[in-house]
């Protein structure tokens, strides 16, 4: 039987693989980190690996996604490449830019007698870890890693389908969640003595992430009427964690709100004090799954909408995770294009915030119409990565230009339309208008760093003053930190009982609102 040798940084793994098996599937079986946003369907072209020897010739799909130069140097698509003999595969570690915006402190190093806790936000794309002082709940450090479950697809539907397909896949998804959490904790770079002081851990996530981590059956989540196996809290879920935390540390899973809204949204509700505020406010956790929360000062309504992975830079021709060189902002000044990238490195692609600012800027300049169509006969806008006049398409090309195509704009329109429609449904249920909102909070790894002017300019949220909108990067993580205390955990359960989830798929007006909200206008 052929052997696959996988090189990942300084680590090497060797295992047998059946002849004619698919490389991506074999990597998934051995829980090796590989992004497959399209769940291995061969439509995104993102699962590139570098190989030497032992693979069958590329098929038409690989040739469509890979240039002749890439094929010559040994790049292949893991979801299409088949094993033909002994082969060596090189994987690039995926490092997520850790944009944990808060005033960090080193008190955890100085006051060694104070016990510590970990607050984990198990997101569909990014897993964030926060180190917390248990004496006063102060968050001292934060880090993040990629959710390795992306090998089964960027969206939760693909992962739920895989978990239903076989017990082996369900168990593998559980272990990949654990591995991702472990990697997020490792990103904090804590010494052994500091790790030994960790006494409590809280993990929050959407219902799908919660069930896959806990090993619950997921059939009821994936089929009508999309209800969780359970919404109950697990004050002591230590046995589920497979010993990845220090001995004696108690792991807890807070309650879910419903089949679509999980403990990550509950953490936001507690952190933003939805149970105490007496004025109408809204909060949106922007990501692959968009959680929307609205209160009129009395009742609290929540909903979740599948915004899609565009906000994470996925399913975009030029898309990129938040890594060094990823474009976070685009600005047109005097007909010149100015780019901002992470770490000021050479542009490699667009993050979700970069896509948002690009569409907004080009819409303002007349290159994109209200309907989202690119003006003129071409379906592309091209501009030089060092600045220059936009011509027509944003994908890096060999000549150093960046392109934005019609599909990319549509992906953003669908994502922003779903968010806007969800907010409107919740507001209508409480007879609220945009003018009634005293505050709109945008949170999440994407929502915490978006351009507020661009968000309002394309109509992602209702037309409110820019002074009403604020961005908070870590709402779910900071809320999870509050759950580490007995009082905070009990408060979470109280809020969960008060909150009402609105199922958008059964709301008669959602679809019409969605199509209207796809237009690139404040409305």
């Amino acid at each position: 039987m052929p052997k696959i040798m996988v090189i990942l940084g300084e680590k090497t793994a060797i295992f047998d693989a059946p002849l004619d098996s698919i490389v991506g599937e074999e990597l998934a079986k051995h829980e090796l980190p590989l992004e497959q946003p399209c769940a291995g369907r061969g439509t995104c072209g993102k699962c590139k690996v570098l190989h030497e020897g032992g693979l069958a010739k590329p098929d038409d799909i690989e040739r469509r996604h890979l240039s002749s130069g890439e094929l010559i140097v040994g790049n292949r698509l893991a979801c299409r490449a088949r094993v033909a003999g002994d082969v060596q595969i090189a994987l690039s570690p995926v490092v997520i830019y850790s944009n944990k915006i808060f005033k960090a402190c080193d008190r955890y190093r100085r006051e060694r007698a104070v016990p510590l806790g970990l607050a984990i936000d198990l997101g569909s794309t990014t897993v964030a870890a926060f180190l917390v002082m248990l004496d006063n709940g102060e968050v001292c450090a934060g880090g993040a890693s990629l959710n390795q479950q992306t090998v089964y697809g960027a969206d939760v539907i693909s992962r739920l389908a895989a978990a239903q397909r076989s017990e082996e896949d369900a168990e593998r998804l559980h272990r990949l969640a654990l591995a991702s959490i472990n990697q997020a904790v490792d990103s904090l770079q804590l010494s052994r003595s500091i790790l030994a002081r960790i006494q409590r851990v809280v993990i929050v996530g959407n219902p799908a992430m919660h069930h896959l981590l806990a090993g619950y059956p997921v059939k009821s989540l994936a089929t009508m009427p999309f209800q969780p196996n359970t919404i109950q809290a697990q004050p002591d879920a230590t046995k589920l964690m497979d010993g990845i935390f220090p001995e004696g540390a108690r792991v807890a899973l807070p309650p879910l709100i419903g089949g679509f809204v999980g403990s990550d949204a509950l953490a936001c509700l507690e952190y933003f004090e939805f149970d105490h505020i007496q004025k109408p406010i809204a909060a949106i956790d922007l990501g692959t799954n968009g959680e929307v929360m609205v209160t009129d000062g009395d009742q609290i309504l929540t909903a979740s909408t599948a915004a899609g992975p565009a906000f994470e830079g996925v399913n975009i021709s030029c898309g990129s995770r938040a890594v060094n060189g990823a474009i976070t902002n685009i600005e047109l000044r005097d007909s010149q294009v100015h780019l901002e990238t992470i770490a000021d490195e050479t542009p490699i692609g667009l993050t979700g915030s970069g896509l948002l600012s690009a569409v907004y800027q080009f819409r303002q300049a007349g290159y994109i119409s209200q309907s989202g169509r690119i003006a003129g006969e071409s379906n592309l806008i091209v501009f030089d990565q060092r600045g220059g006049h936009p011509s027509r398409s944003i994908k890096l090309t060999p000549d150093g230009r960046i392109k934005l195509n019609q599909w990319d704009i549509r992906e953003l329109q669908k994502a922003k339309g779903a968010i806007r429609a969800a907010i409107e449904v919740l507001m209508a249920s409480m007879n609220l208008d945009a003018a009634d909102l005293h505050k709109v909070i945008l949170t999440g790894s994407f929502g915490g760093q978006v351009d507020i002017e661009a968000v309002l300019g394309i109509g992602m949220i209702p037309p409110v003053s820019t002074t009403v909108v604020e961005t908070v990067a870590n709402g779910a993580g900071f809320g999870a930190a509050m759950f580490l205390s007995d009082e905070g955990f009990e408060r979470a359960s109280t809020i969960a009982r008060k909150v009402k989830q609105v199922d958008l798929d059964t709301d008669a007006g959602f679809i019409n609102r969605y199509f209207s909200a796809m237009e690139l206008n404040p409305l």
Side-chain angles (χ1 to χ4, degrees):
M1 185 178 291
K3 293 185 181 295
I4 297 181
M5 174 185 288
V6 180
I7 300 172
L8 179 62
E10 297 179 353
K11 299 179 180 179
T12 300
I14 302 176
F15 50 85
D16 294 332
L19 195 66
D20 204 41
S21 60
I22 296 174
V23 168
E25 293 179 359
E26 296 305 310
L27 295 177
K29 288 178 183 177
H30 290 81
E31 300 169 24
L32 292 164
L34 174 70
E35 284 198 84
Q36 294 191 126
C38 68
R41 291 187 288 269
T43 58
C44 71
K46 300 286 187 180
C47 59
K48 295 178 184 179
V49 297
L50 192 66
H51 90 289
E52 291 183 12
L55 292 182
K57 291 182 178 180
D59 61 14
D60 291 341
I61 292 177
E62 284 192 271
R63 293 185 183 280
R64 188 162 63 244
H65 285 292
L66 299 171
S67 68
S68 57
E70 287 178 312
L71 289 170
I72 288 173
V73 300
N75 283 122
R76 296 292 296 273
L77 296 185
C79 71
R80 304 297 302 180
R82 293 183 177 273
V83 176
D86 292 343
V87 59
Q88 178 175 293
I89 300 290
L91 293 179
S92 299
V94 181
V95 180
I96 295 292
Y97 174 60
S98 179
N99 187 25
K100 303 302 157 199
I101 305 169
F102 59 92
K103 187 177 180 180
C105 75
D106 64 353
R107 190 163 72 91
Y108 68 97
R109 291 193 181 98
R110 292 183 281 106
E111 300 182 19
R112 299 180 181 180
V114 178
L116 302 174
L118 286 171
I120 310 292
D121 179 13
L122 180 61
S124 302
T125 301
T126 305
V127 181
F130 299 88
L131 184 69
V132 183
M133 305 288 287
L134 290 183
D135 60 345
N136 64 356
E138 183 178 12
V139 178
C140 292
S145 68
L146 178 74
N147 187 328
Q148 295 177 31
Q149 292 176 336
T150 53
V151 71
Y152 283 95
D155 60 284
V156 297
I157 301 301
S158 298
R159 300 179 206 178
L160 292 176
Q164 291 181 86
R165 189 166 56 235
S166 72
E167 291 183 6
E168 290 80 6
D169 283 322
E171 174 60 23
R172 192 170 294 125
L173 281 158
H174 165 71
R175 292 201 305 271
L176 287 170
L178 293 177
S180 304
I181 291 170
N182 195 55
Q183 191 175 57
V185 174
D186 285 347
S187 73
L188 295 172
Q189 299 182 337
L190 304 176
S191 66
R192 289 185 179 181
S193 61
I194 291 173
L195 283 170
R197 289 162 50 198
I198 293 171
Q199 294 185 5
R200 290 195 175 189
V201 180
V202 164
I203 304 172
V204 300
N206 64 49
M209 294 300 97
H210 173 274
H211 276 38
L212 292 172
L213 172 68
Y216 290 140
V218 298
K219 183 177 181 180
S220 62
L221 269 182
T223 56
M224 289 286 288
F226 307 110
Q227 293 302 308
N229 181 270
T230 179
I231 62 172
Q232 298 302 313
Q234 289 194 56
D236 189 355
T238 309
K239 291 182 179 179
L240 290 171
M241 298 301 109
D242 204 26
I244 68 171
F245 296 113
E247 186 176 353
R250 191 182 76 190
V251 182
L253 303 181
L256 305 179
I257 293 174
F260 297 102
V261 184
S263 52
D264 50 353
L266 183 64
C268 288
L269 291 171
E270 181 159 332
Y271 182 64
F272 298 131
E273 299 191 319
F274 267 62
D275 54 334
H276 293 155
I277 289 176
Q278 297 179 349
K279 296 178 179 179
I281 68 169
I284 307 108
D285 191 343
L286 291 170
T288 304
N289 298 294
E291 283 82 28
V292 180
M293 298 150 269
V294 179
T295 180
D296 60 1
D298 180 23
Q299 59 180 328
I300 303 172
L301 299 183
T302 64
S304 178
T305 183
F311 290 157
E312 307 284 355
V314 177
N315 279 3
I316 305 302
S317 64
C318 51
S320 171
R321 300 288 189 199
V323 297
N324 287 350
I327 300 168
T328 58
N329 189 60
I330 291 175
E331 187 176 351
L332 291 179
R333 297 197 304 268
D334 301 322
S335 297
Q336 296 289 309
V337 180
H338 300 267
L339 308 179
E340 293 180 15
T341 66
I342 295 174
D344 290 327
E345 293 195 7
T346 302
I348 61 171
L350 283 171
T351 62
S353 58
L355 174 65
L356 172 67
S357 67
V359 171
Y360 170 65
Q361 291 285 325
F362 294 146
R363 169 76 183 105
Q364 292 292 100
Y367 291 97
I368 301 174
S369 71
Q370 178 177 321
S371 69
R373 288 192 63 81
I374 295 176
E377 296 180 0
S378 174
N379 64 348
L380 299 172
I381 300 174
V382 182
F383 53 94
D384 189 276
Q385 68 180 29
R386 292 169 295 280
H389 295 278
S391 54
R392 296 264 177 253
S393 96
I394 289 177
K395 180 178 182 180
L396 289 183
T397 59
D399 58 5
R401 294 184 301 172
I402 300 171
K403 296 182 179 179
L404 179 72
N405 65 34
Q406 192 66 68
W407 170 271
D408 301 329
I409 297 171
R410 293 295 186 227
E411 286 294 293
L412 178 65
Q413 285 181 275
K414 289 188 290 185
K416 84 96 175 175
I419 294 295
R420 176 64 180 270
I423 301 171
E424 289 184 349
V425 167
L426 298 192
M427 291 175 61
S429 299
M430 291 185 282
N431 296 315
L432 294 176
D433 295 321
D436 297 321
L437 294 174
H438 287 254
K439 185 186 295 184
V440 178
I441 304 166
L442 304 177
T443 190
S445 56
F446 169 68
Q449 58 183 337
V450 294
D451 182 335
I452 293 174
E453 185 177 332
V455 168
L456 289 166
I458 68 169
M460 185 183 295
I461 62 176
V464 296
S465 168
T466 55
T467 59
V468 172
V469 186
E470 64 179 69
T471 59
V472 179
N474 314 307
F478 281 7
M482 297 174 73
F483 294 168
L484 286 166
S485 71
D486 291 337
E487 180 185 5
F489 199 86
E490 180 55 37
R491 181 180 164 198
S493 298
T494 301
I495 296 173
R497 289 191 294 268
K498 181 180 180 180
V499 176
K500 178 184 177 183
Q501 175 186 288
V502 176
D503 295 339
L504 299 177
D505 59 322
T506 62
D507 186 274
F510 176 77
I511 291 298
N512 288 335
R513 292 181 186 276
Y514 169 71
F515 284 120
S516 296
M518 285 184 66
E519 289 198 347
L520 298 175
N521 251 12
L523 300 178

